[in-house]
Amino acid sequence: MSLLHAAHTVEARLEEALAAEGLSLAKQGVLTLLVEAGEPLPLSELAARQSCVRSNITQLVDRLEADGLVKRIADPTDRRSILAQLTQTGRDRQAAGAQRLDTVQATFAASVARADRAALQRALAGFQ
Amino acid sequence: MSLLHAAHTVEARLEEALAAEGLSLAKQGVLTLLVEAGEPLPLSELAARQSCVRSNITQLVDRLEADGLVKRIADPTDRRSILAQLTQTGRDRQAAGAQRLDTVQATFAASVARADRAALQRALAGFQ
DNA sequence: GAAGATTGAGCGCTCAATCTTG
DNA sequence: CAAGATTGAGCGCTCAATCTTC
C-alpha cells in the first residue's frame, strides 16, 4: 500500500525532471519507442507496445505533433495505417529527456541499501 | 523503475475491485476520510489530507454528491467554508469498498515472501 | 490582502461509437 | 466483417483566474 505512495512520489519527480525539457513521461515513452525502433511506427503499434488504448495514442501524437517532435506520415503498405515519424527536434529532445531520467533514477537507486535491492526486485516482480 | 509498473498493476486491480461498488480509489479515499473523522469536514481540509489541490476536491465532491454518497452543507462557523457530510448510502458504500480493498490487498501481501517484507518496507520508505 | 470554493483550460487515460480501408 | 484511426464523453488530476467572505 505504501507502494502506491512511493510510486506516486517517484513518478512526480520524474515528471518534474522531464518538465524541464517540456516533456512528460507519456511523451518520453512514445519518443523512446520511436528512437529504439529506428524507423516510423504505426500508431496501433505504439498503442500495443505501451499496452494502452489506440485513442490514447491518437491524442498523445496530436500533442507531440503540435510540439514539433513527431510527424504523421502515410503508410505505403496499408492506407488504413498512419506512421509516427520522429523529427530531428524529437530525436534531440528524447536524448535530453533520457539524460534527465537517468539522473533522477540514480538518485533513487542510491537510496536503496545494497542488501535490500534483490528483495525489492523480487517483491515488485511478484506484483505483475 | 519496475516500481512504476508494479504500482500501475496494483492500482488497476484495486480500481477494478472498487468498480464493483461503483467506486474509485479517489472516491473511496474521500469517503474514508469522512468516516474516520466521524463528522463533516471542510473541502479544504479534505484537500489538505489528500495532499491535493482544492479544485480537485471540488470536482470529486461534485461526483460523490451526484452519486448520493455525500452532501454539501454550510459551515456554521465560517461562511466561506463548505462541509462535506456523508449520507447513509455513503457510509454503507465506504464499508463495502473497504472490504473489497482488504481482499485484494491480502492477495498481494501473500505474494511477497516473508523474508522480503522488511526489505520492501525499508526500500519504499526510502523513496518518500 | 488572504483564505474559502469554484470555473475554465489542459494533460493523461478509458470507453463506446463512427468512419475508412482491407 | 475486421482492423486502422478518430471523435465525444467522462474520470482524475493540475494550474491560473475569479468571486465571496474573513
Side-chain angles (χ1 to χ4, degrees):
Chain A
M1 264 304 193
S2 51
L3 172 72
L4 297 186
H5 192 264
H8 185 265
T9 301
V10 171
E11 200 172 329
R13 279 221 232 259
L14 295 173
E15 292 282 7
E16 182 187 2
L18 285 177
E21 302 289 343
L23 290 172
S24 62
L25 277 172
K27 288 178 177 177
Q28 178 71 4
V30 169
L31 294 181
T32 300
L33 281 181
L34 291 172
V35 166
E36 285 170 357
E39 59 177 3
L41 291 178
L43 300 196
S44 53
E45 184 58 31
L46 291 174
R49 297 195 192 186
Q50 294 284 54
S51 37
C52 74
V53 131
R54 273 187 296 274
S55 62
N56 188 11
I57 296 295
T58 296
Q59 304 170 65
L60 203 40
V61 169
D62 281 350
R63 282 173 251 127
L64 285 169
E65 208 169 13
D67 291 347
L69 305 181
V70 140
K71 243 187 70 176
R72 276 180 168 89
I73 62 176
D75 185 336
T77 73
D78 186 339
R79 262 190 301 175
R80 291 175 303 178
S81 174
I82 293 187
L83 306 179
Q85 181 179 49
L86 279 172
T87 64
Q88 189 53 49
T89 314
R91 230 178 305 270
D92 298 346
R93 204 71 71 82
Q94 191 278 339
Q99 183 54 51
R100 301 266 186 184
L101 289 184
D102 282 349
T103 304
V104 177
Q105 197 167 344
T107 303
F108 279 117
S111 83
V112 179
R114 183 175 306 279
D116 292 345
R117 214 157 291 181
L120 178 60
Q121 279 301 331
R122 253 196 313 276
L124 292 180
F127 288 151
Q128 305 317 323
Chain B
M1 264 303 195
S2 52
L3 173 71
L4 296 186
H5 193 264
H8 186 264
T9 301
V10 171
E11 200 171 328
R13 279 221 231 259
L14 294 173
E15 292 282 7
E16 182 187 2
L18 286 177
E21 303 288 343
L23 289 172
S24 62
L25 277 173
K27 288 178 178 178
Q28 177 72 4
V30 168
L31 293 181
T32 300
L33 281 181
L34 291 173
V35 166
E36 286 170 356
E39 58 176 5
L41 290 178
L43 300 196
S44 53
E45 184 60 28
L46 291 174
R49 296 195 194 186
Q50 294 285 55
S51 35
C52 73
V53 131
R54 274 186 296 273
S55 62
N56 188 9
I57 296 296
T58 295
Q59 304 170 65
L60 203 40
V61 170
D62 281 350
R63 281 173 251 130
L64 285 168
E65 210 170 10
D67 292 346
L69 306 180
V70 139
K71 243 188 67 175
R72 277 179 167 91
I73 62 176
D75 184 336
T77 74
D78 186 339
R79 263 190 300 176
R80 289 174 304 178
S81 175
I82 292 187
L83 305 179
Q85 182 180 48
L86 280 172
T87 64
Q88 188 53 48
T89 315
R91 229 178 304 271
D92 298 346
R93 203 71 70 81
Q94 190 278 339
Q99 183 54 51
R100 301 266 186 184
L101 289 184
D102 282 349
T103 303
V104 178
Q105 196 167 344
T107 303
F108 278 118
S111 81
V112 179
R114 184 177 304 280
D116 292 345
R117 213 154 293 180
L120 178 61
Q121 279 301 331
R122 252 196 313 276
L124 292 180
F127 288 151
Q128 308 315 324

